[in-house]
Amino acid sequence: MSRRSLEQHDLVLVSAAKNIIEKHFKEDWHHIGVACLGKSGKVYTSVNLDTYVGGMAVCGEPLAIGQAVLEEDLPFVSIVAVRKPRASREDQEIKIVSPCGKCREMIADYAHEADVILSDDEGEFKVKISALLPYKFISNKSKKGRLDDCLHVS
């Protein structure tokens, strides 16, 4: 995996994700904040939507990506998710989290060259989505065909 250092626009994205979850955190309902950088430079933010019916819960990444779709701001450049701990946790630091498998698939569908901002014991860094999903599922359309569909290209 090719780890790359974060640039200023990446730090702005991390800050936006942290700000949105600080503002909208609700115990057992919203604990993940997401920020997505569109190709225009616009930042789209969202939070996860938890529900009483677990199968209905929605990750934050699809909601942020959906906003970029509605603005025709694809392919987006990068994305980051952060988690705010439960109030009962001693450590209240908001930390970067890796996207789940379904979100990785969606990120690759809508921006197959996107950077994903991650964190580990060595610090914060970014990688291409292809590094997190090297053998992406492809249906009856190529990745380019799917991206062209998103961009309304004929």
Side-chain angles (χ1 to χ4, degrees), residues 70-103:
L70 293 175
E71 296 285 329
E72 298 182 5
D73 202 2
L74 296 173
F76 58 89
V77 176
S78 55
I79 194 163
V80 63
V82 299
R83 178 177 38 225
K84 180 171 174 63
R86 294 179 175 278
S88 60
R89 298 282 173 113
E90 188 174 318
D91 181 3
Q92 285 296 302
E93 182 183 358
I94 298 174
K95 296 181 180 173
I96 295 172
V97 293
S98 184
C100 74
K102 290 193 294 186
C103 288

PDB file of all heavy atoms in Angstrom, residues 70-103:
ATOM      1  N   LEU A  70     -25.413  14.754  -6.612  1.00  0.00           N
ATOM      2  CA  LEU A  70     -26.462  15.735  -6.893  1.00  0.00           C
ATOM      3  C   LEU A  70     -25.903  17.049  -7.442  1.00  0.00           C
ATOM      4  O   LEU A  70     -26.554  17.723  -8.234  1.00  0.00           O
ATOM      5  CB  LEU A  70     -27.283  16.014  -5.631  1.00  0.00           C
ATOM      6  CG  LEU A  70     -28.124  14.840  -5.137  1.00  0.00           C
ATOM      7  CD1 LEU A  70     -28.794  15.198  -3.827  1.00  0.00           C
ATOM      8  CD2 LEU A  70     -29.147  14.417  -6.177  1.00  0.00           C
ATOM      9  N   GLU A  71     -24.674  17.377  -7.037  1.00  0.00           N
ATOM     10  CA  GLU A  71     -24.022  18.600  -7.524  1.00  0.00           C
ATOM     11  C   GLU A  71     -23.225  18.356  -8.806  1.00  0.00           C
ATOM     12  O   GLU A  71     -22.569  19.269  -9.314  1.00  0.00           O
ATOM     13  CB  GLU A  71     -23.082  19.153  -6.441  1.00  0.00           C
ATOM     14  CG  GLU A  71     -23.785  19.605  -5.186  1.00  0.00           C
ATOM     15  CD  GLU A  71     -24.503  20.925  -5.357  1.00  0.00           C
ATOM     16  OE1 GLU A  71     -24.041  21.767  -6.146  1.00  0.00           O
ATOM     17  OE2 GLU A  71     -25.540  21.105  -4.691  1.00  0.00           O
ATOM     18  N   GLU A  72     -23.250  17.106  -9.298  1.00  0.00           N
ATOM     19  CA  GLU A  72     -22.468  16.706 -10.476  1.00  0.00           C
ATOM     20  C   GLU A  72     -21.002  17.056 -10.299  1.00  0.00           C
ATOM     21  O   GLU A  72     -20.336  17.550 -11.202  1.00  0.00           O
ATOM     22  CB  GLU A  72     -23.059  17.311 -11.752  1.00  0.00           C
ATOM     23  CG  GLU A  72     -24.468  16.824 -12.018  1.00  0.00           C
ATOM     24  CD  GLU A  72     -25.084  17.370 -13.295  1.00  0.00           C
ATOM     25  OE1 GLU A  72     -24.391  18.079 -14.074  1.00  0.00           O
ATOM     26  OE2 GLU A  72     -26.269  17.075 -13.530  1.00  0.00           O
ATOM     27  N   ASP A  73     -20.494  16.769  -9.102  1.00  0.00           N
ATOM     28  CA  ASP A  73     -19.121  17.108  -8.712  1.00  0.00           C
ATOM     29  C   ASP A  73     -18.273  15.844  -8.612  1.00  0.00           C
ATOM     30  O   ASP A  73     -17.615  15.589  -7.614  1.00  0.00           O
ATOM     31  CB  ASP A  73     -19.162  17.861  -7.378  1.00  0.00           C
ATOM     32  CG  ASP A  73     -17.920  18.700  -7.144  1.00  0.00           C
ATOM     33  OD1 ASP A  73     -17.038  18.727  -8.021  1.00  0.00           O
ATOM     34  OD2 ASP A  73     -17.843  19.324  -6.065  1.00  0.00           O
ATOM     35  N   LEU A  74     -18.353  15.044  -9.674  1.00  0.00           N
ATOM     36  CA  LEU A  74     -17.639  13.764  -9.715  1.00  0.00           C
ATOM     37  C   LEU A  74     -16.603  13.783 -10.821  1.00  0.00           C
ATOM     38  O   LEU A  74     -16.760  14.526 -11.781  1.00  0.00           O
ATOM     39  CB  LEU A  74     -18.627  12.624  -9.981  1.00  0.00           C
ATOM     40  CG  LEU A  74     -19.689  12.378  -8.932  1.00  0.00           C
ATOM     41  CD1 LEU A  74     -20.669  11.333  -9.436  1.00  0.00           C
ATOM     42  CD2 LEU A  74     -19.079  11.955  -7.614  1.00  0.00           C
ATOM     43  N   PRO A  75     -15.612  12.941 -10.755  1.00  0.00           N
ATOM     44  CA  PRO A  75     -15.319  12.090  -9.607  1.00  0.00           C
ATOM     45  C   PRO A  75     -14.752  12.917  -8.460  1.00  0.00           C
ATOM     46  O   PRO A  75     -14.015  13.879  -8.689  1.00  0.00           O
ATOM     47  CB  PRO A  75     -14.284  11.108 -10.141  1.00  0.00           C
ATOM     48  CG  PRO A  75     -13.591  11.841 -11.247  1.00  0.00           C
ATOM     49  CD  PRO A  75     -14.628  12.769 -11.829  1.00  0.00           C
ATOM     50  N   PHE A  76     -15.140  12.564  -7.227  1.00  0.00           N
ATOM     51  CA  PHE A  76     -14.601  13.313  -6.098  1.00  0.00           C
ATOM     52  C   PHE A  76     -13.130  12.966  -5.900  1.00  0.00           C
ATOM     53  O   PHE A  76     -12.643  11.961  -6.418  1.00  0.00           O
ATOM     54  CB  PHE A  76     -15.435  13.111  -4.829  1.00  0.00           C
ATOM     55  CG  PHE A  76     -15.558  11.685  -4.375  1.00  0.00           C
ATOM     56  CD1 PHE A  76     -14.627  11.144  -3.512  1.00  0.00           C
ATOM     57  CD2 PHE A  76     -16.619  10.906  -4.794  1.00  0.00           C
ATOM     58  CE1 PHE A  76     -14.742   9.830  -3.082  1.00  0.00           C
ATOM     59  CE2 PHE A  76     -16.749   9.593  -4.364  1.00  0.00           C
ATOM     60  CZ  PHE A  76     -15.799   9.060  -3.511  1.00  0.00           C
ATOM     61  N   VAL A  77     -12.425  13.811  -5.176  1.00  0.00           N
ATOM     62  CA  VAL A  77     -10.964  13.712  -5.047  1.00  0.00           C
ATOM     63  C   VAL A  77     -10.553  12.849  -3.863  1.00  0.00           C
ATOM     64  O   VAL A  77      -9.654  12.014  -3.975  1.00  0.00           O
ATOM     65  CB  VAL A  77     -10.353  15.126  -4.901  1.00  0.00           C
ATOM     66  CG1 VAL A  77      -8.853  15.064  -4.679  1.00  0.00           C
ATOM     67  CG2 VAL A  77     -10.694  15.973  -6.117  1.00  0.00           C
ATOM     68  N   SER A  78     -11.191  13.059  -2.724  1.00  0.00           N
ATOM     69  CA  SER A  78     -10.800  12.316  -1.522  1.00  0.00           C
ATOM     70  C   SER A  78     -11.956  12.266  -0.533  1.00  0.00           C
ATOM     71  O   SER A  78     -12.929  13.028  -0.651  1.00  0.00           O
ATOM     72  CB  SER A  78      -9.560  12.936  -0.871  1.00  0.00           C
ATOM     73  OG  SER A  78      -9.768  14.303  -0.607  1.00  0.00           O
ATOM     74  N   ILE A  79     -11.808  11.377   0.450  1.00  0.00           N
ATOM     75  CA  ILE A  79     -12.859  11.173   1.445  1.00  0.00           C
ATOM     76  C   ILE A  79     -12.216  10.724   2.753  1.00  0.00           C
ATOM     77  O   ILE A  79     -11.168  10.078   2.752  1.00  0.00           O
ATOM     78  CB  ILE A  79     -13.897  10.143   0.930  1.00  0.00           C
ATOM     79  CG1 ILE A  79     -15.170  10.158   1.791  1.00  0.00           C
ATOM     80  CG2 ILE A  79     -13.291   8.758   0.793  1.00  0.00           C
ATOM     81  CD1 ILE A  79     -16.357   9.479   1.110  1.00  0.00           C
ATOM     82  N   VAL A  80     -12.868  11.106   3.859  1.00  0.00           N
ATOM     83  CA  VAL A  80     -12.387  10.699   5.177  1.00  0.00           C
ATOM     84  C   VAL A  80     -13.589  10.483   6.085  1.00  0.00           C
ATOM     85  O   VAL A  80     -14.600  11.187   5.968  1.00  0.00           O
ATOM     86  CB  VAL A  80     -11.425  11.734   5.797  1.00  0.00           C
ATOM     87  CG1 VAL A  80     -12.098  13.061   6.041  1.00  0.00           C
ATOM     88  CG2 VAL A  80     -10.787  11.192   7.075  1.00  0.00           C
ATOM     89  N   ALA A  81     -13.485   9.507   6.966  1.00  0.00           N
ATOM     90  CA  ALA A  81     -14.495   9.251   7.994  1.00  0.00           C
ATOM     91  C   ALA A  81     -13.817   9.317   9.356  1.00  0.00           C
ATOM     92  O   ALA A  81     -12.668   8.892   9.514  1.00  0.00           O
ATOM     93  CB  ALA A  81     -15.138   7.879   7.798  1.00  0.00           C
ATOM     94  N   VAL A  82     -14.541   9.870  10.322  1.00  0.00           N
ATOM     95  CA  VAL A  82     -14.032   9.960  11.695  1.00  0.00           C
ATOM     96  C   VAL A  82     -15.105   9.435  12.651  1.00  0.00           C
ATOM     97  O   VAL A  82     -16.298   9.473  12.338  1.00  0.00           O
ATOM     98  CB  VAL A  82     -13.636  11.403  12.084  1.00  0.00           C
ATOM     99  CG1 VAL A  82     -12.531  11.926  11.178  1.00  0.00           C
ATOM    100  CG2 VAL A  82     -14.836  12.327  12.065  1.00  0.00           C
ATOM    101  N   ARG A  83     -14.665   8.946  13.810  1.00  0.00           N
ATOM    102  CA  ARG A  83     -15.606   8.433  14.807  1.00  0.00           C
ATOM    103  C   ARG A  83     -15.459   9.188  16.115  1.00  0.00           C
ATOM    104  O   ARG A  83     -14.348   9.354  16.625  1.00  0.00           O
ATOM    105  CB  ARG A  83     -15.393   6.950  15.058  1.00  0.00           C
ATOM    106  CG  ARG A  83     -16.332   6.392  16.135  1.00  0.00           C
ATOM    107  CD  ARG A  83     -16.225   4.898  16.379  1.00  0.00           C
ATOM    108  NE  ARG A  83     -14.878   4.418  16.296  1.00  0.00           N
ATOM    109  CZ  ARG A  83     -14.505   3.310  15.645  1.00  0.00           C
ATOM    110  NH1 ARG A  83     -15.387   2.588  15.012  1.00  0.00           N
ATOM    111  NH2 ARG A  83     -13.250   2.940  15.644  1.00  0.00           N
ATOM    112  N   LYS A  84     -16.590   9.602  16.659  1.00  0.00           N
ATOM    113  CA  LYS A  84     -16.615  10.224  17.984  1.00  0.00           C
ATOM    114  C   LYS A  84     -16.993   9.126  18.982  1.00  0.00           C
ATOM    115  O   LYS A  84     -17.989   8.433  18.804  1.00  0.00           O
ATOM    116  CB  LYS A  84     -17.634  11.359  18.030  1.00  0.00           C
ATOM    117  CG  LYS A  84     -17.684  12.039  19.398  1.00  0.00           C
ATOM    118  CD  LYS A  84     -18.542  13.289  19.341  1.00  0.00           C
ATOM    119  CE  LYS A  84     -18.745  13.922  20.694  1.00  0.00           C
ATOM    120  NZ  LYS A  84     -17.525  14.400  21.337  1.00  0.00           N
ATOM    121  N   PRO A  85     -16.188   8.961  20.030  1.00  0.00           N
ATOM    122  CA  PRO A  85     -16.467   7.896  21.005  1.00  0.00           C
ATOM    123  C   PRO A  85     -17.737   8.163  21.809  1.00  0.00           C
ATOM    124  O   PRO A  85     -18.177   9.308  21.961  1.00  0.00           O
ATOM    125  CB  PRO A  85     -15.247   7.934  21.925  1.00  0.00           C
ATOM    126  CG  PRO A  85     -14.219   8.733  21.212  1.00  0.00           C
ATOM    127  CD  PRO A  85     -14.959   9.667  20.309  1.00  0.00           C
ATOM    128  N   ARG A  86     -18.282   7.090  22.340  1.00  0.00           N
ATOM    129  CA  ARG A  86     -19.423   7.197  23.255  1.00  0.00           C
ATOM    130  C   ARG A  86     -19.018   8.037  24.459  1.00  0.00           C
ATOM    131  O   ARG A  86     -17.848   8.064  24.839  1.00  0.00           O
ATOM    132  CB  ARG A  86     -19.856   5.822  23.736  1.00  0.00           C
ATOM    133  CG  ARG A  86     -20.404   4.937  22.651  1.00  0.00           C
ATOM    134  CD  ARG A  86     -20.794   3.573  23.249  1.00  0.00           C
ATOM    135  NE  ARG A  86     -21.427   2.749  22.253  1.00  0.00           N
ATOM    136  CZ  ARG A  86     -22.707   2.831  21.907  1.00  0.00           C
ATOM    137  NH1 ARG A  86     -23.486   3.720  22.495  1.00  0.00           N
ATOM    138  NH2 ARG A  86     -23.207   2.046  20.991  1.00  0.00           N
ATOM    139  N   ALA A  87     -19.974   8.672  25.072  1.00  0.00           N
ATOM    140  CA  ALA A  87     -19.709   9.534  26.230  1.00  0.00           C
ATOM    141  C   ALA A  87     -19.085   8.756  27.384  1.00  0.00           C
ATOM    142  O   ALA A  87     -18.338   9.313  28.180  1.00  0.00           O
ATOM    143  CB  ALA A  87     -21.002  10.204  26.677  1.00  0.00           C
ATOM    144  N   SER A  88     -19.356   7.467  27.467  1.00  0.00           N
ATOM    145  CA  SER A  88     -18.837   6.644  28.565  1.00  0.00           C
ATOM    146  C   SER A  88     -17.351   6.309  28.424  1.00  0.00           C
ATOM    147  O   SER A  88     -16.725   5.839  29.375  1.00  0.00           O
ATOM    148  CB  SER A  88     -19.632   5.340  28.666  1.00  0.00           C
ATOM    149  OG  SER A  88     -19.521   4.616  27.455  1.00  0.00           O
ATOM    150  N   ARG A  89     -16.786   6.552  27.250  1.00  0.00           N
ATOM    151  CA  ARG A  89     -15.370   6.257  27.014  1.00  0.00           C
ATOM    152  C   ARG A  89     -14.486   7.315  27.645  1.00  0.00           C
ATOM    153  O   ARG A  89     -14.791   8.511  27.576  1.00  0.00           O
ATOM    154  CB  ARG A  89     -15.066   6.189  25.517  1.00  0.00           C
ATOM    155  CG  ARG A  89     -15.789   5.105  24.776  1.00  0.00           C
ATOM    156  CD  ARG A  89     -15.108   3.775  25.041  1.00  0.00           C
ATOM    157  NE  ARG A  89     -15.850   2.693  24.493  1.00  0.00           N
ATOM    158  CZ  ARG A  89     -15.447   1.935  23.477  1.00  0.00           C
ATOM    159  NH1 ARG A  89     -14.286   2.176  22.924  1.00  0.00           N
ATOM    160  NH2 ARG A  89     -16.196   0.962  23.056  1.00  0.00           N
ATOM    161  N   GLU A  90     -13.378   6.869  28.224  1.00  0.00           N
ATOM    162  CA  GLU A  90     -12.434   7.810  28.828  1.00  0.00           C
ATOM    163  C   GLU A  90     -11.765   8.685  27.760  1.00  0.00           C
ATOM    164  O   GLU A  90     -11.642   9.888  27.911  1.00  0.00           O
ATOM    165  CB  GLU A  90     -11.382   7.046  29.632  1.00  0.00           C
ATOM    166  CG  GLU A  90     -10.484   7.953  30.441  1.00  0.00           C
ATOM    167  CD  GLU A  90      -9.556   7.165  31.342  1.00  0.00           C
ATOM    168  OE1 GLU A  90      -9.996   6.182  31.965  1.00  0.00           O
ATOM    169  OE2 GLU A  90      -8.374   7.550  31.397  1.00  0.00           O
ATOM    170  N   ASP A  91     -11.335   8.057  26.678  1.00  0.00           N
ATOM    171  CA  ASP A  91     -10.681   8.772  25.587  1.00  0.00           C
ATOM    172  C   ASP A  91     -11.753   9.356  24.661  1.00  0.00           C
ATOM    173  O   ASP A  91     -12.458   8.612  23.978  1.00  0.00           O
ATOM    174  CB  ASP A  91      -9.753   7.828  24.813  1.00  0.00           C
ATOM    175  CG  ASP A  91      -9.017   8.506  23.670  1.00  0.00           C
ATOM    176  OD1 ASP A  91      -9.158   9.740  23.487  1.00  0.00           O
ATOM    177  OD2 ASP A  91      -8.295   7.791  22.947  1.00  0.00           O
ATOM    178  N   GLN A  92     -11.892  10.661  24.626  1.00  0.00           N
ATOM    179  CA  GLN A  92     -12.919  11.317  23.820  1.00  0.00           C
ATOM    180  C   GLN A  92     -12.373  11.900  22.509  1.00  0.00           C
ATOM    181  O   GLN A  92     -13.069  12.665  21.840  1.00  0.00           O
ATOM    182  CB  GLN A  92     -13.599  12.421  24.638  1.00  0.00           C
ATOM    183  CG  GLN A  92     -14.553  11.877  25.677  1.00  0.00           C
ATOM    184  CD  GLN A  92     -15.725  11.144  25.019  1.00  0.00           C
ATOM    185  OE1 GLN A  92     -16.464  11.703  24.226  1.00  0.00           O
ATOM    186  NE2 GLN A  92     -15.867   9.865  25.345  1.00  0.00           N
ATOM    187  N   GLU A  93     -11.154  11.505  22.133  1.00  0.00           N
ATOM    188  CA  GLU A  93     -10.572  12.018  20.892  1.00  0.00           C
ATOM    189  C   GLU A  93     -11.319  11.470  19.677  1.00  0.00           C
ATOM    190  O   GLU A  93     -11.561  10.266  19.563  1.00  0.00           O
ATOM    191  CB  GLU A  93      -9.096  11.640  20.795  1.00  0.00           C
ATOM    192  CG  GLU A  93      -8.429  12.176  19.555  1.00  0.00           C
ATOM    193  CD  GLU A  93      -6.975  11.744  19.405  1.00  0.00           C
ATOM    194  OE1 GLU A  93      -6.450  11.053  20.295  1.00  0.00           O
ATOM    195  OE2 GLU A  93      -6.382  12.100  18.380  1.00  0.00           O
ATOM    196  N   ILE A  94     -11.682  12.353  18.779  1.00  0.00           N
ATOM    197  CA  ILE A  94     -12.293  11.943  17.512  1.00  0.00           C
ATOM    198  C   ILE A  94     -11.174  11.448  16.608  1.00  0.00           C
ATOM    199  O   ILE A  94     -10.209  12.165  16.369  1.00  0.00           O
ATOM    200  CB  ILE A  94     -13.059  13.112  16.869  1.00  0.00           C
ATOM    201  CG1 ILE A  94     -14.198  13.558  17.788  1.00  0.00           C
ATOM    202  CG2 ILE A  94     -13.584  12.711  15.496  1.00  0.00           C
ATOM    203  CD1 ILE A  94     -14.911  14.800  17.295  1.00  0.00           C
ATOM    204  N   LYS A  95     -11.323  10.212  16.113  1.00  0.00           N
ATOM    205  CA  LYS A  95     -10.250   9.593  15.327  1.00  0.00           C
ATOM    206  C   LYS A  95     -10.730   9.183  13.948  1.00  0.00           C
ATOM    207  O   LYS A  95     -11.893   8.839  13.751  1.00  0.00           O
ATOM    208  CB  LYS A  95      -9.714   8.371  16.067  1.00  0.00           C
ATOM    209  CG  LYS A  95      -9.071   8.731  17.395  1.00  0.00           C
ATOM    210  CD  LYS A  95      -8.521   7.519  18.093  1.00  0.00           C
ATOM    211  CE  LYS A  95      -7.900   7.943  19.421  1.00  0.00           C
ATOM    212  NZ  LYS A  95      -7.492   6.803  20.220  1.00  0.00           N
ATOM    213  N   ILE A  96      -9.796   9.187  13.008  1.00  0.00           N
ATOM    214  CA  ILE A  96     -10.057   8.723  11.654  1.00  0.00           C
ATOM    215  C   ILE A  96     -10.300   7.221  11.684  1.00  0.00           C
ATOM    216  O   ILE A  96      -9.598   6.487  12.376  1.00  0.00           O
ATOM    217  CB  ILE A  96      -8.873   9.066  10.730  1.00  0.00           C
ATOM    218  CG1 ILE A  96      -8.736  10.578  10.600  1.00  0.00           C
ATOM    219  CG2 ILE A  96      -9.042   8.409   9.353  1.00  0.00           C
ATOM    220  CD1 ILE A  96      -7.488  11.027   9.862  1.00  0.00           C
ATOM    221  N   VAL A  97     -11.307   6.780  10.923  1.00  0.00           N
ATOM    222  CA  VAL A  97     -11.600   5.353  10.800  1.00  0.00           C
ATOM    223  C   VAL A  97     -11.611   4.964   9.325  1.00  0.00           C
ATOM    224  O   VAL A  97     -11.892   5.788   8.451  1.00  0.00           O
ATOM    225  CB  VAL A  97     -12.936   4.970  11.468  1.00  0.00           C
ATOM    226  CG1 VAL A  97     -12.852   5.129  12.972  1.00  0.00           C
ATOM    227  CG2 VAL A  97     -14.094   5.778  10.908  1.00  0.00           C
ATOM    228  N   SER A  98     -11.323   3.723   9.082  1.00  0.00           N
ATOM    229  CA  SER A  98     -11.314   3.198   7.726  1.00  0.00           C
ATOM    230  C   SER A  98     -12.745   2.924   7.249  1.00  0.00           C
ATOM    231  O   SER A  98     -13.589   2.505   8.045  1.00  0.00           O
ATOM    232  CB  SER A  98     -10.502   1.894   7.712  1.00  0.00           C
ATOM    233  OG  SER A  98     -10.397   1.396   6.413  1.00  0.00           O
ATOM    234  N   PRO A  99     -13.036   3.147   5.975  1.00  0.00           N
ATOM    235  CA  PRO A  99     -14.378   2.827   5.481  1.00  0.00           C
ATOM    236  C   PRO A  99     -14.634   1.323   5.500  1.00  0.00           C
ATOM    237  O   PRO A  99     -13.714   0.527   5.292  1.00  0.00           O
ATOM    238  CB  PRO A  99     -14.386   3.377   4.058  1.00  0.00           C
ATOM    239  CG  PRO A  99     -12.965   3.568   3.674  1.00  0.00           C
ATOM    240  CD  PRO A  99     -12.174   3.706   4.933  1.00  0.00           C
ATOM    241  N   CYS A 100     -15.887   0.954   5.733  1.00  0.00           N
ATOM    242  CA  CYS A 100     -16.260  -0.468   5.716  1.00  0.00           C
ATOM    243  C   CYS A 100     -16.177  -1.003   4.288  1.00  0.00           C
ATOM    244  O   CYS A 100     -15.978  -0.245   3.329  1.00  0.00           O
ATOM    245  CB  CYS A 100     -17.662  -0.654   6.292  1.00  0.00           C
ATOM    246  SG  CYS A 100     -18.995  -0.113   5.191  1.00  0.00           S
ATOM    247  N   GLY A 101     -16.355  -2.283   4.120  1.00  0.00           N
ATOM    248  CA  GLY A 101     -16.257  -2.907   2.802  1.00  0.00           C
ATOM    249  C   GLY A 101     -17.258  -2.372   1.800  1.00  0.00           C
ATOM    250  O   GLY A 101     -16.920  -2.113   0.637  1.00  0.00           O
ATOM    251  N   LYS A 102     -18.515  -2.197   2.212  1.00  0.00           N
ATOM    252  CA  LYS A 102     -19.528  -1.669   1.288  1.00  0.00           C
ATOM    253  C   LYS A 102     -19.193  -0.246   0.865  1.00  0.00           C
ATOM    254  O   LYS A 102     -19.362   0.111  -0.299  1.00  0.00           O
ATOM    255  CB  LYS A 102     -20.920  -1.720   1.929  1.00  0.00           C
ATOM    256  CG  LYS A 102     -21.440  -3.136   2.083  1.00  0.00           C
ATOM    257  CD  LYS A 102     -22.921  -3.179   2.414  1.00  0.00           C
ATOM    258  CE  LYS A 102     -23.224  -2.610   3.764  1.00  0.00           C
ATOM    259  NZ  LYS A 102     -24.642  -2.771   4.157  1.00  0.00           N
ATOM    260  N   CYS A 103     -18.702   0.550   1.801  1.00  0.00           N
ATOM    261  CA  CYS A 103     -18.334   1.929   1.456  1.00  0.00           C
ATOM    262  C   CYS A 103     -17.121   1.962   0.534  1.00  0.00           C
ATOM    263  O   CYS A 103     -17.040   2.800  -0.362  1.00  0.00           O
ATOM    264  CB  CYS A 103     -18.093   2.745   2.723  1.00  0.00           C
ATOM    265  SG  CYS A 103     -19.642   3.100   3.594  1.00  0.00           S
TER     266      CYS A 103
END
